[in-house]
Amino acid sequence: MNRILDIKNLQVSLPTANGVLRAVRGIDLHVDKGEMLCIVGESGCGKSMTSMALMGLLPKRAEVTAEVLDFDGLDLLSLPKKERNKIRGMRMSMIFQEPMTSLNPSYTLGNQLCEAIMRHKGVSSAEAKERAVYLLTRAGVPMPEKRLDQYPHQLSGGLRQRVMIAMALMCEPDLIIADEPTTALDVTIQAQILRLIRELQQEFGTAVIFITHDLGVVARIADRVAVMYAGQVVETATAQELYSNPMHPYTRGLLNCIPIPGKTAPGSHLESIPGVVPSLIGELKGCAFANRCHVSTSECSQRTPSLELEPNSTSLHQVRCPITATTLQEAM
Amino acid sequence: MPDYALELSNLSRHFHLKNGAFKEPTLLKAVDGISLRIRPGETLGLVGESGCGKSTLAKMILGLLEPTDGDVLINDKARSASSRLSMARQLQPIFQDPYSSLNPRKTIEQIIRLPLQLHKEGNKESQKKAVKDISDLVGLPERLLKQYPGQLSGGQRQRVAIARALILKPKILVCDEPTSALDVSVQAQILNLLMDLKKELGLTYLFISHNLGVVEHLVDKVAVMYRGKIVEQGTRDEIFQNAQHPYTKALLSSVLTPEPALGLPEVLDSSAWDSAQAS
Ligand SMILES: Nc1ncnc2c1ncn2[C@@H]1O[C@H](COP(=O)(O)OP(=O)(O)OP(=O)(O)O)[C@@H](O)[C@H]1O
Ligand SMILES: Nc1ncnc2c1ncn2[C@@H]1O[C@H](COP(=O)(O)OP(=O)(O)OP(=O)(O)O)[C@@H](O)[C@H]1O
Ligand SMILES: [Mg+2]
Ligand SMILES: [Mg+2]
């Protein structure tokens, strides 16, 4: 099968002082081998919690359940800890927003690049270094041999992120999770880093889950997109389909908020989404977006919609909103 | 009315970076001889790569950092000649981070009222009324005035920061990345607010941002900064439709609009504009 990752009804809950916070409330997702899946959504919607659950890096007090959490035929939830750690080191890796959180300031970059591959794959130090230099070169890091002896703080933010990308590729993983890897960088460096991730991904056939809240970035790199709201996926489609035919009122709202050069008249009033995200503490009745939605009816706050296949689309387009589906059918 | 709300002439700020006890420190020209003028009621966008000196420039304008050389004129008068208090009536900042810039132990009402108290303006009653009026203006519901910053959303907090900046009725706002920490739907609300305030109060803005889509939407003029210098400036259309400097072109070509068919832009080689700057 072509699937590398299959998730059904993933839930993550965290105990807090005010009650149980349901950060992830039943996510269904899949990623094919070599595919770039972008996850997009507003702050606090559970993007990082989802990726931490996949990596097995959630805080201890978090409770994780899922009907299916399958990584290339392995059930991640029932896997013994040792096996899980091995997968994390070798077959799945992660790139964080701020590279300093995952780089150790007191070890050289060479040490950190080579550690996992030597430990997990029993590769010799010389071979590991050779691979590190190759990947640093591919990642556009100047003077790669010299970098092996440097420490993280001796590099600029852009260079550190390049090193992180090289590090994520050291063990030839099947899946990379990149959580806002370019948010802290300026636009020219962002474009370079995105190109690099895309090129390396295609060269090595790696699947990537790319998390961001920037719809411009998503449009330019995604094969497929999942839009998240309040701990759930509300819409998923190919990038082309999502941008030309957004269906969920939340997705449409997000796309209308951003001024687009050449399309939005400068100085014109921008649309925005009124109201705020509901609290994720305790049970949420009905559609989580109902209180901010301009097409919602009284039924929306009663019944929780499920993620349904959009019948009129040729590609796999799913939407968690019965209203858009009916309006569209009526329009036909 | 003054000729210029804000005028910078040959403004510089250098830093000496230490290289250990026995080595000569490196000289960093964070801002290197910048001259700029903004007319009253105009919005100037300042863009440029990370670390090119934008915030350093803003801090000098706000009097938070002494220039190494050059002058800042506000409403045609030298900044150094006026006291801090009188400056605060003419010029106010809005920063990126609405979380750290509000005192967590004060209510929203106390936070917005503080500048009036510092300036001994009016009595308690008139101050309360001023706070309510300004909160209405920025779209902050009255019920939030009794709450603390920790109980507000990011967009609400940024509105508090804007209300506090406006309470002394300054004519000039220096905005350093005012929306980059916010979600896009909140960003749209804050941008609409800034545009409405400009129309209603005739405000002048210096608007610093990495987001060129936002800059194009909001500004009348643009200045492009690279390594401490202004490399190009012009009207919005001159810069966005007909940029001349290679760095400006590179910056514009890196903007990622939500158009999936376009893919990623070519990565340009920085030697093109490094040599343009050297010459
Ligand atoms: N350690 C924690 N303890 C309790 N709640 C947490 C913790 N970390 C995150 N949360 C909450 O879980 C929810 C989901 O958070 P998450 O970090 O996954 O959001 P996100 O989508 O990554 O947002 P952002 O775009 O801001 O990074 C939020 O409501 C957040 O406040
Ligand atoms: N107090 C300081 N001491 C030494 N160097 C400084 C100091 N403040 C700023 N710098 C340096 O001056 C340069 C300009 O910094 P500044 O913060 O003005 O950049 P910026 O254009 O605002 O960047 P960004 O877009 O990332 O906010 C940087 O190289 C920075 O490291
Ligand atoms: Mg996150
Ligand atoms: Mg800055």
Side-chain angles (χ1 to χ4, degrees):
Chain A
M1 189 145 115
N2 206 23
R3 288 267 150 99
I4 186 74
L5 184 70
D6 208 357
I7 309 172
K8 287 218 169 67
N9 197 15
L10 173 69
Q11 311 222 11
V12 179
S13 306
L14 286 155
T16 72
N18 302 321
V20 175
L21 181 115
R22 300 186 58 214
V24 179
R25 301 185 306 126
I27 281 197
D28 300 335
L29 268 184
H30 66 90
V31 186
D32 287 340
K33 287 184 178 148
E35 184 182 41
M36 171 81 80
L37 171 77
C38 281
I39 300 183
V40 61
E42 288 182 283
S43 186
C45 71
K47 305 183 294 293
S48 296
M49 285 287 167
T50 305
S51 57
M52 291 306 190
L54 298 178
M55 291 293 290
L57 291 174
L58 283 170
K60 273 220 168 61
R61 58 207 169 78
E63 193 188 310
V64 195
T65 60
E67 275 163 46
V68 178
L69 196 58
D70 178 302
F71 176 75
D72 205 18
L74 297 166
D75 175 20
L76 287 180
L77 286 182
S78 66
L79 219 57
K81 197 158 183 266
K82 218 173 139 200
E83 294 297 306
R84 185 80 195 258
N85 288 346
K86 209 164 163 187
I87 288 190
R88 177 159 72 235
M90 285 172 48
R91 301 195 57 196
M92 259 189 204
S93 54
M94 187 147 178
I95 307 170
F96 295 91
Q97 169 169 353
E98 173 41 65
M100 281 316 272
T101 55
S102 41
L103 286 172
N104 188 327
S106 40
Y107 290 95
T108 62
L109 295 173
N111 267 329
Q112 301 185 57
L113 278 158
C114 299
E115 193 250 16
I117 195 170
M118 286 167 63
R119 184 154 51 97
H120 291 307
K121 291 201 170 170
V123 163
S124 76
S125 159
E127 279 174 288
K129 274 191 181 155
E130 195 182 328
R131 179 160 175 80
V133 168
Y134 168 72
L135 286 170
L136 288 174
T137 313
R138 290 290 293 110
V141 176
M143 302 180 290
E145 286 94 353
K146 220 181 127 194
R147 304 293 169 183
L148 297 182
D149 300 323
Q150 287 190 315
Y151 292 87
H153 69 267
Q154 295 174 303
L155 273 61
S156 74
L159 273 184
R160 278 201 290 260
Q161 203 53 289
R162 286 169 187 268
V163 172
M164 281 305 296
I165 292 168
M167 194 178 297
L169 285 164
M170 278 300 285
C171 295
E172 292 185 64
D174 303 286
L175 176 69
I176 293 179
I177 302 176
D179 193 351
E180 311 249 10
T182 60
T183 310
L185 306 172
D186 67 72
V187 287
T188 45
I189 298 180
Q190 165 172 283
Q192 289 172 18
I193 299 275
L194 293 177
R195 240 194 132 79
L196 174 66
I197 292 178
R198 201 70 173 122
E199 271 171 24
L200 294 176
Q201 181 221 354
Q202 279 158 1
E203 178 176 332
F204 296 103
T206 317
V208 178
I209 298 181
F210 192 103
I211 295 174
T212 177
H213 58 258
D214 186 328
L215 290 157
V217 169
V218 174
R220 304 301 189 92
I221 62 167
D223 294 316
R224 222 152 37 79
V225 188
V227 182
M228 272 184 75
Y229 186 79
Q232 292 181 323
V233 172
V234 295
E235 182 161 9
T236 164
T238 63
Q240 285 286 355
E241 167 79 9
L242 189 90
Y243 283 78
S244 58
N245 186 25
M247 299 280 280
H248 197 283
Y250 175 64
T251 313
R252 292 187 199 178
L254 277 184
L255 286 168
N256 283 337
C257 286
I258 32 177
I260 302 173
K263 289 205 180 117
T264 319
S268 63
H269 188 86
L270 296 169
E271 277 184 48
S272 66
I273 306 173
V276 293
V277 186
S279 160
L280 297 178
I281 291 178
E283 287 300 316
L284 255 180
K285 204 173 167 207
C287 169
F289 190 61
N291 66 328
R292 310 174 69 184
C293 179
H294 64 282
V295 297
S296 68
T297 66
S298 56
E299 195 169 330
C300 294
S301 41
Q302 298 303 317
R303 265 225 310 254
T304 308
S306 52
L307 196 61
E308 298 286 346
L309 207 57
E310 168 48 40
N312 302 311
S313 82
T314 45
S315 57
L316 195 70
H317 190 164
Q318 292 172 297
V319 191
R320 194 185 284 278
C321 177
I323 297 199
T324 44
T326 28
T327 0
L328 217 89
Q329 264 157 15
E330 277 163 15
M332 299 261 305
Chain B
M1 204 191 267
D3 287 340
Y4 295 104
L6 198 60
E7 184 170 0
L8 313 180
S9 79
N10 207 18
L11 196 63
S12 297
R13 173 69 204 212
H14 301 170
F15 292 110
H16 296 276
L17 305 181
K18 293 202 181 70
N19 284 325
F22 303 106
K23 289 195 197 127
E24 279 287 293
T26 314
L27 183 66
L28 173 76
K29 297 181 176 178
V31 172
D32 189 13
I34 282 192
S35 299
L36 267 183
R37 290 160 159 182
I38 313 180
R39 290 201 182 273
E42 213 170 60
T43 300
L44 177 86
L46 183 64
V47 301
E49 71 174 346
S50 191
C52 71
K54 304 180 293 294
S55 297
T56 304
L57 188 77
K59 284 180 200 153
M60 287 192 283
I61 295 171
L62 290 162
L64 302 172
L65 192 70
E66 277 303 309
T68 308
D69 199 10
D71 297 303
V72 176
L73 277 75
I74 291 157
N75 294 326
D76 295 344
K77 293 197 195 62
R79 142 135 237 147
S80 44
S82 354
S83 75
R84 231 193 153 98
L85 275 182
S86 78
M87 232 356 99
R89 292 177 181 280
Q90 305 179 50
L91 183 77
Q92 283 286 331
I94 299 171
F95 292 115
Q96 165 171 3
D97 191 355
Y99 302 85
S100 60
S101 67
L102 304 179
N103 185 340
R105 278 180 291 276
K106 300 271 188 233
T107 66
I108 302 305
E109 171 155 27
Q110 288 168 327
I111 290 171
I112 302 175
R113 200 173 76 191
L114 186 64
L116 292 176
Q117 290 174 311
L118 291 177
H119 287 254
K120 303 196 172 52
E121 200 161 285
N123 56 26
K124 200 167 175 195
E125 282 315 302
S126 71
Q127 289 177 354
K128 281 200 151 173
K129 172 148 193 330
V131 169
K132 197 187 161 296
D133 290 348
I134 207 81
S135 306
D136 281 348
L137 189 69
V138 303
L140 209 57
E142 201 178 343
R143 64 184 161 83
L144 295 182
L145 295 180
K146 295 271 171 280
Q147 304 202 311
Y148 292 86
Q151 299 168 298
L152 271 57
S153 74
Q156 288 169 338
R157 276 182 259 206
Q158 197 58 293
R159 281 168 196 265
V160 173
I162 295 173
R164 178 181 58 180
L166 290 176
I167 191 103
L168 291 171
K169 309 225 174 329
K171 285 286 179 208
I172 309 167
L173 288 184
V174 175
C175 312
D176 193 354
E177 305 268 5
T179 63
S180 44
L182 305 174
D183 282 323
V184 287
S185 67
V186 182
Q187 168 177 287
Q189 292 170 14
I190 299 294
L191 295 179
N192 285 338
L193 172 63
L194 292 177
M195 292 187 291
D196 291 346
L197 292 173
K198 179 179 168 174
K199 267 184 231 135
E200 281 166 42
L201 307 174
L203 298 183
T204 306
Y205 294 118
L206 174 65
F207 190 89
I208 299 174
S209 177
H210 276 307
N211 188 326
L212 288 131
V214 166
V215 169
E216 182 169 5
H217 192 72
L218 210 68
V219 308
D220 305 305
K221 293 194 176 150
V222 188
V224 183
M225 213 171 149
Y226 184 69
R227 299 209 181 150
K229 291 193 160 87
I230 302 286
V231 294
E232 182 165 12
Q233 55 178 309
T235 63
R236 178 181 61 219
D237 287 352
E238 279 166 356
I239 298 295
F240 283 98
Q241 312 304 332
N242 191 22
Q244 300 298 315
H245 194 277
Y247 178 67
T248 312
K249 289 182 189 169
L251 206 56
L252 292 173
S253 73
S254 307
V255 175
L256 303 179
T257 52
E259 296 167 283
L262 295 184
L264 285 167
E266 283 298 319
V267 172
L268 300 165
D269 180 2
S270 72
S271 60
W273 53 88
D274 282 339
S275 64
Q277 189 177 39
S279 64

